[in-house]
Amino acid sequence: QRLYETLFFSRHVKFQYPLSSLLTLDFGRLLGVNQIWQYNLINAFVLILTGILFALFVRKLFDEISYRAIRFPVAAAAYIVALRFYPDNLAFEIGQMQLALGMLFLAACYAKLSNRPVLAGSLIGLAGMTKPQFLPLAVLAIFRRDWRFSAGLLAVAVFLTVLSVLLYGWY
């Protein structure tokens, strides 16, 4: 059957994501995640991990901020800011996957800042399989001749696209 056509036009299910995003749900089911409380627990873990990643990211960017021998706790402040960030809180409250996508983007930024472009590209490729708006970063990376970032992004994107076509079909 033509899954997208059936869902979107016949049943009026406004599923806006590519079929490759279903891989996440199927992977979760494979691991036994199929209850709302399990998804909420995963989202809570992702929110905490996002706070830790943001604290590490800000710490790496600013190292240390001090004024007259008084050191400002950059990492601790960043952690609190990340936990109180409204879009993340809203995503946590209503159980959106957006929280995990934001964490993947933040992890990619941290990897890029840590001079690990293949990992950064791979994380963007992984996020892009659910949210294709991330994929134009491949064009930007190619334009900037960042071949390792591009290779990581395209390798993950191509692999997951082929896998989703094999599992769900072309239509």
Side-chain angles (χ1 to χ4, degrees):
Q1 287 184 338
R2 295 175 173 240
L3 184 60
Y4 183 78
E5 184 178 310
T6 303
L7 286 175
F8 198 75
F9 295 111
S10 299
R11 295 186 187 167
H12 303 289
V13 175
K14 303 298 184 216
F15 188 75
Q16 305 166 13
Y17 302 106
L19 285 180
S20 56
S21 64
L22 294 175
L23 292 171
T24 307
L25 295 173
D26 284 347
F27 181 70
R29 287 187 193 112
L30 187 67
L31 295 176
V33 177
N34 55 10
Q35 302 286 323
I36 298 286
W37 69 269
Q38 292 170 315
Y39 287 113
N40 289 339
L41 187 62
I42 290 169
N43 255 358
F45 176 74
V46 168
L47 182 62
I48 291 167
L49 188 58
T50 299
I52 292 168
L53 272 171
F54 189 64
L56 292 171
F57 181 73
V58 169
R59 174 73 182 188
K60 192 163 190 74
L61 274 178
F62 297 110
D63 190 34
E64 183 179 299
I65 298 175
S66 60
Y67 177 74
R68 295 186 185 222
I70 298 172
R71 291 179 43 212
F72 182 70
V74 175
Y79 180 77
I80 292 168
V81 166
L83 289 184
R84 298 303 308 149
F85 185 56
Y86 178 74
D88 285 351
N89 280 302
L90 182 61
F92 178 70
E93 274 183 45
I94 62 178
Q96 283 188 323
M97 189 177 185
Q98 185 63 36
L99 193 56
L101 298 174
M103 184 197 69
L104 285 172
F105 182 77
L106 180 59
C109 291
Y110 184 77
K112 186 72 171 148
L113 192 63
S114 300
N115 200 26
R116 299 184 67 187
V118 175
L119 177 60
S122 299
L123 291 167
I124 293 296
L126 188 60
M129 290 295 88
T130 298
K131 199 108 170 161
Q133 292 89 328
F134 287 117
L135 296 178
L137 289 174
V139 175
L140 179 64
I142 290 169
F143 179 75
R144 295 190 58 174
R145 299 175 200 259
D146 191 347
W147 306 121
R148 296 186 313 166
F149 181 91
S150 303
L153 192 155
L154 292 172
V156 170
V158 167
F159 173 75
L160 292 177
T161 299
V162 168
L163 181 61
S164 66
V165 168
L166 290 174
L167 288 174
Y168 309 119
W170 183 256
Y171 294 107

